């Protein structure tokens, strides 16, 4: 199953989120996001990853700094 792995730059801690188990995966600072990134340049709801016709697409969620 495909997954997204994020490594926190300051600590080196890795977070893995399975992509195939949900309709979409949200990325941002908000506690409700599937992948939380606590950097100031990341929006509360920054981006999402969606599976469309078997391909994964990253969409910006109107973040100030873009995706």
């Amino acid at each position: 199953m495909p997954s997204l792995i994020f490594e926190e730059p300051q600590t080196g801690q890795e977070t893995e989120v399975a992509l195939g188990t949900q309709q979409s995966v949200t990325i941002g600072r908000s506690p409700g996001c599937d992948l939380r990134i606590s950097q100031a340049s990341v929006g509360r709801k920054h981006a999402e990853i969606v599976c469309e016709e078997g391909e994964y697409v990253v969409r910006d969620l109107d973040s100030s700094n873009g995706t």
Side-chain angles (χ1 to χ4, degrees), residues 27-54:
I27 302 167
R29 288 191 334 254
S30 173
C33 288
D34 301 302
L35 176 59
R36 289 191 63 208
I37 300 175
S38 60
Q39 296 174 355
S41 61
V42 175
R44 285 186 295 277
K45 279 193 134 182
H46 196 89
E48 70 178 346
I49 300 173
V50 181
C51 185
E52 294 180 347
E53 299 178 19

Side-chain angles (χ1 to χ4, degrees), residues 1 8 11 13 15 23 25-27 31 38-40 42 44-49 51-52 57 60-64 67:
M1 176 170 299
E8 183 67 45
T11 65
Q13 180 180 353
T15 302
Q23 289 282 48
V25 172
T26 55
I27 302 167
S38 60
Q39 296 174 355
V42 175
R44 285 186 295 277
K45 279 193 134 182
H46 196 89
E48 70 178 346
I49 300 173
C51 185
E52 294 180 347
V57 178
D60 184 77
L61 295 177
D62 295 325
S63 62
S64 298
T67 298

